[in-house]
Amino acid sequence: MGITILEIAKKTGYSKSTVHRALTSSSRIDEKTRQEILRIANKYKYEPNLQARCLCGAKTKILGVIIPDVGNSFYAKALKGIDELAEREGYNVLMFTSHMSEKKEELIVRKLQNHGVEGLLISSMAGGLELVSALKNAGIPYVGFHQTNMSDIDFVHSGLEIGAFKITDYLISLGHRRIGHVTIDQPVDLGIAQKLEGYKRALEKNGIPFDETLIMSRSKFYGFNTGYEATKELLKLRNPPTAVFVLCDRIAVGAVKAIKASGLRIPMDISVAGYDNEPFSEVIDPPLTTVSSSAYEIGKSAAELLIENIENTNTKKRQLVIEPVLVIRDSCRKIG
Amino acid sequence: MGITILEIAKKTGYSKSTVHRALTSSSRIDEKTRQEILRIANKYKYEPNLQARCLCGAKTKILGVIIPDVGNSFYAKALKGIDELAEREGYNVLMFTSHMSEKKEELIVRKLQNHGVEGLLISSMAGGLELVSALKNAGIPYVGFHQTNMSDIDFVHSGLEIGAFKITDYLISLGHRRIGHVTIDQPVDLGIAQKLEGYKRALEKNGIPFDETLIMSRSKFYGFNTGYEATKELLKLRNPPTAVFVLCDRIAVGAVKAIKASGLRIPMDISVAGYDNEPFSEVIDPPLTTVSSSAYEIGKSAAELLIENIENTNTKKRQLVIEPVLVIRDSCRKIG
DNA sequence: TGAATATGCGGGAACGTTCCCGCAGTAAAA
DNA sequence: TTTTACTGCGGGAACGTTCCCGCATATTCA
């Protein structure tokens, strides 16, 4: 639709080569002719055809992003971070949703090449090593973000283990010794195991023995009910916990309901902590103490790393952690 | 990187034309040779090079989406709907975020052509008519969704006016006659005016005179505070409303706080209704009566329309409304 | 003054595909 | 039998760009 390099050549009387040189600000061209050509190019709003360009080996300026689900606010925010940085650096974002399936991921890699994607951001890796090696074979730079347990690739970690450690350590600092952990059964989601690790490490650091009966899960779904059922169960224990660290705020809402339904008060009788700092966590009763990892920052940093890898082939492997921060509100209280 | 059509031709002994025919399942090819070629193609995992393909006028299978902000849950969900339908139909999604700025939108249109985007989904139109005519000139099909006041283009409407009408009508049906409306000053956002229209229409239908003093806005930002301030003001009126319809759930949370701070009870003393059915609306105290428009459905329908327009050039202009539904919870009550 | 070098520019090839035209060979219709 | 149509296939051109090579002319050096 737009004007082509050849048409500009016709209009200016130069050859396509010279026009190309003027446009790419390369050397070996007279400054006067460059200005002349540039004037015409701007007049007709020349824009290079990306398809043609990358057909002869040039750059597409497209970044691929694999996320499990855009509907999830975490990934949406991360995508925002990615998008903003990409835009700043002149890249565009092509989105692929995997829904945590290996098959999809393999198919995606195939597609990547066809779209001339220059680099890939991967948030979840159901495909794991196979996906990574496929990427390596294709020669596409990639960086992981959020969840991953691979140590030999670039990634930006959301520090789930650290966040879980922090909040558990905080509960302990308030005097709690019996801290329940409400979680779910979902082996694909690496974050769940990471949070459990952080929980355990905090106990260990403070010399509290790990008690398996305090780890409770009643389903494999993220949802209010999941938290409700598991917490009910936790409260039935002979020696119930004085505080509960819940996998995420969403599930924590169910936990809060269960506790209220049992006639207990938060935080007077029992403390509750969540994870994610969802928009609603601030407005529920009581406002929830939780952990916030900036999805936006994670996405942005991951994009930053990726673009560096693309433009600067020989960078060392780097692993970043966007430190999660404690958001202290009113749902936890000093014991005794 | 992958194998090309020409290499398959070499391997099978046929010409590139025949290979192409086999691959595109066109006619005028012997079924036996097709199978033979297909076998080789699959063996070497042939994938057509999209750049080359669309350079000679073929389809890129890329859909562009312009949204103001992915961080916003509504747009994220709409994007999900778009993405899922696009995937089903073999399309990919290239995302552009406009941040509600005209300049960006113009630049985006330029980019679209270079990326060979086949169609465009537009959620906000700061650029308005100019953007649309630029699109028309470029020959790119497009459909608007969510907010738009243009009648001569395809769009999927989220029915903001209808939703506002429904909730206001519902409040009236509960016996309320003085219904406040908490809103914000943001002329770029068309949805605000649409909701006000729906509010007015419901009053009119029920023979209630419109009272300007009941329309209250104290800022131009979406946020808790906005709702808090405006509602405080509303409660100070000589003849305060018995019910408040708030622009969105987010702001409604502020309204709820303001009412509680004034010592009034919801819904016993005053009813509150929101809009959007945010995840937190269900868990606040009291659970908020609100309106839900399925962003997912809107995105999906818009993508559906667009793909039809792309593949089926001469379709009539269509305008869909995804009917918003009332979500009745505990924040509104019969008066008296 | 002659040779080497630098500058400014043009032309051809290539990227991988699609579309169009043409050409045999065979089958159907006259 | 001749004409017509159809089938199966090959080859050339085109899409718009980039890269490489080469050719004049101007400049520098011995």
Side-chain angles (χ1 to χ4, degrees), chain A residues 32-45:
Chain A
K32 249 174 57 187
T33 54
R34 149 171 296 145
Q35 292 306 329
E36 194 184 338
I37 291 170
L38 245 43
R39 212 176 42 81
I40 299 290
N42 284 328
K43 185 179 165 193
Y44 291 95
K45 296 188 179 177

Side-chain angles (χ1 to χ4, degrees), chain B residues 171-221:
Chain B
L171 287 170
I172 296 170
S173 78
L174 293 179
H176 296 278
R177 299 244 122 201
R178 283 190 68 74
I179 300 170
H181 179 43
V182 170
T183 184
I184 61 174
D185 296 314
Q186 182 61 272
V188 201
D189 189 339
L190 297 169
I192 292 167
Q194 288 168 14
K195 286 179 187 169
L196 183 60
E197 279 312 308
Y199 166 85
K200 283 184 181 171
R201 186 159 64 86
L203 293 184
E204 196 176 340
K205 178 205 152 197
N206 291 281
I208 302 174
F210 174 65
D211 181 353
E212 189 138 11
T213 60
L214 290 175
I215 309 301
M216 190 63 73
S217 76
R218 271 290 167 273
S219 122
K220 57 178 185 171
F221 303 110

Side-chain angles (χ1 to χ4, degrees), chain B residues 132-333:
Chain B
V132 168
S133 73
L135 247 25
K136 229 172 212 163
N137 283 337
I140 301 176
Y142 52 90
V143 353
F145 68 98
H146 192 35
Q147 298 175 8
T148 171
N149 55 356
M150 317 215 163
S151 54
D152 57 340
I153 67 165
D154 272 23
F155 72 75
V156 178
H157 207 286
S158 48
L160 262 26
E161 197 268 350
I162 295 173
F165 172 84
K166 279 189 174 181
I167 193 102
T168 310
D169 194 52
Y170 168 69
L171 287 170
I172 296 170
S173 78
L174 293 179
H176 296 278
R177 299 244 122 201
R178 283 190 68 74
I179 300 170
H181 179 43
V182 170
T183 184
I184 61 174
D185 296 314
Q186 182 61 272
V188 201
D189 189 339
L190 297 169
I192 292 167
Q194 288 168 14
K195 286 179 187 169
L196 183 60
E197 279 312 308
Y199 166 85
K200 283 184 181 171
R201 186 159 64 86
L203 293 184
E204 196 176 340
K205 178 205 152 197
N206 291 281
I208 302 174
F210 174 65
D211 181 353
E212 189 138 11
T213 60
L214 290 175
I215 309 301
M216 190 63 73
S217 76
R218 271 290 167 273
S219 122
K220 57 178 185 171
F221 303 110
Y222 282 94
F224 301 131
N225 264 337
T226 298
Y228 190 88
E229 299 298 336
T231 307
K232 275 274 179 197
E233 213 64 34
L234 224 39
L235 296 175
K236 278 188 204 158
L237 287 178
R238 210 166 38 85
N239 190 5
T242 62
V244 182
F245 162 42
V246 187
L247 189 71
C248 66
D249 289 0
R250 195 163 193 77
I251 297 177
V253 168
V256 167
K257 281 199 175 166
I259 291 168
K260 285 182 176 173
S262 301
L264 295 169
R265 293 160 308 161
I266 305 169
M268 282 71 85
D269 302 320
I270 186 167
S271 292
V272 177
Y275 205 113
D276 281 348
N277 193 25
E278 298 264 10
F280 58 78
S281 306
E282 167 179 14
V283 297
I284 62 172
D285 177 52
L288 195 65
T289 290
T290 184
V291 180
S292 167
S293 30
S294 170
Y296 173 83
E297 286 297 333
I298 290 165
K300 202 169 157 184
S301 297
E304 212 160 1
L305 238 57
L306 181 63
I307 291 174
E308 270 181 47
N309 283 359
I310 290 172
E311 300 184 346
N312 213 320
T313 51
N314 265 348
T315 54
K316 278 185 188 164
K317 290 292 158 208
R318 281 166 306 176
Q319 309 200 340
L320 258 57
V321 177
I322 303 296
E323 189 92 356
V325 301
L326 239 92
V327 179
I328 296 175
R329 298 210 182 91
D330 311 333
S331 65
C332 300
R333 193 188 170 196

Side-chain angles (χ1 to χ4, degrees), chain A residues 8-300:
Chain A
I8 297 181
K10 280 259 164 66
K11 284 191 198 297
T12 55
Y14 290 100
S15 74
K16 63 179 165 51
S17 303
T18 304
V19 174
H20 176 244
R21 271 187 282 263
L23 261 18
T24 54
S25 63
S26 80
S27 55
R28 299 197 54 161
I29 182 171
D30 190 56
E31 194 52 36
K32 249 174 57 187
T33 54
R34 149 171 296 145
Q35 292 306 329
E36 194 184 338
I37 291 170
L38 245 43
R39 212 176 42 81
I40 299 290
N42 284 328
K43 185 179 165 193
Y44 291 95
K45 296 188 179 177
Y46 170 78
E47 285 283 321
N49 180 314
L50 287 177
Q51 271 76 36
R53 190 172 249 185
C54 80
L55 194 55
C56 24
K59 306 299 180 182
T60 55
K61 291 283 176 183
I62 297 183
L63 258 36
V65 179
I66 300 184
I67 51 180
D69 177 16
V70 226
N72 180 309
S73 77
F74 181 91
Y75 291 111
K77 292 235 168 70
L79 190 58
K80 181 181 177 172
I82 291 167
D83 185 70
E84 283 190 11
L85 196 103
E87 194 193 315
R88 212 183 69 194
E89 302 290 329
Y91 285 82
N92 278 106
V93 173
L94 197 61
M95 188 187 68
F96 301 90
T97 46
S98 70
H99 307 288
M100 286 277 183
S101 123
E102 289 188 43
K103 271 232 175 116
K104 286 287 312 284
E105 286 179 359
E106 194 200 314
L107 208 138
I108 286 168
V109 176
R110 280 229 228 165
K111 277 192 173 182
L112 289 176
Q113 295 167 291
N114 302 325
H115 282 289
V117 165
E118 289 193 62
L120 187 63
L121 260 8
I122 315 167
S123 59
S124 66
M125 312 220 246
L129 286 169
E130 284 189 45
L131 176 67
V132 169
S133 72
L135 248 25
K136 230 171 212 164
N137 283 338
I140 300 176
Y142 53 88
V143 353
F145 69 99
H146 192 34
Q147 299 175 7
T148 172
N149 56 355
M150 317 216 163
S151 54
D152 57 338
I153 68 164
D154 272 23
F155 71 75
V156 178
H157 207 286
S158 48
L160 261 26
E161 196 269 350
I162 295 173
F165 172 84
K166 278 189 175 180
I167 192 103
T168 310
D169 194 53
Y170 167 70
L171 288 170
I172 295 170
S173 78
L174 292 178
H176 296 278
R177 300 244 121 202
R178 283 190 70 72
I179 301 170
H181 179 43
V182 170
T183 183
I184 61 174
D185 296 315
Q186 183 61 270
V188 203
D189 190 338
L190 298 168
I192 293 167
Q194 288 169 12
K195 285 179 187 170
L196 183 60
E197 280 312 309
Y199 166 85
K200 283 183 181 173
R201 187 160 63 87
L203 293 184
E204 197 176 340
K205 177 205 152 198
N206 291 282
I208 300 174
F210 173 65
D211 181 353
E212 188 137 11
T213 61
L214 291 175
I215 309 301
M216 191 63 74
S217 75
R218 273 290 168 273
S219 122
K220 56 176 185 172
F221 303 111
Y222 282 94
F224 301 131
N225 264 337
T226 298
Y228 189 87
E229 299 297 338
T231 306
K232 275 275 179 196
E233 213 64 34
L234 224 39
L235 296 175
K236 278 188 205 158
L237 287 180
R238 209 167 37 85
N239 190 4
T242 61
V244 182
F245 162 43
V246 188
L247 190 71
C248 66
D249 288 0
R250 194 162 193 79
I251 298 178
V253 168
V256 167
K257 282 200 174 163
I259 291 167
K260 284 183 176 173
S262 301
L264 296 169
R265 296 160 306 162
I266 305 170
M268 283 71 85
D269 301 320
I270 185 167
S271 292
V272 177
Y275 204 112
D276 281 347
N277 193 25
E278 298 264 9
F280 59 76
S281 306
E282 169 179 13
V283 298
I284 61 173
D285 176 52
L288 195 66
T289 289
T290 185
V291 180
S292 168
S293 30
S294 170
Y296 174 82
E297 285 296 333
I298 290 166
K300 202 170 158 184

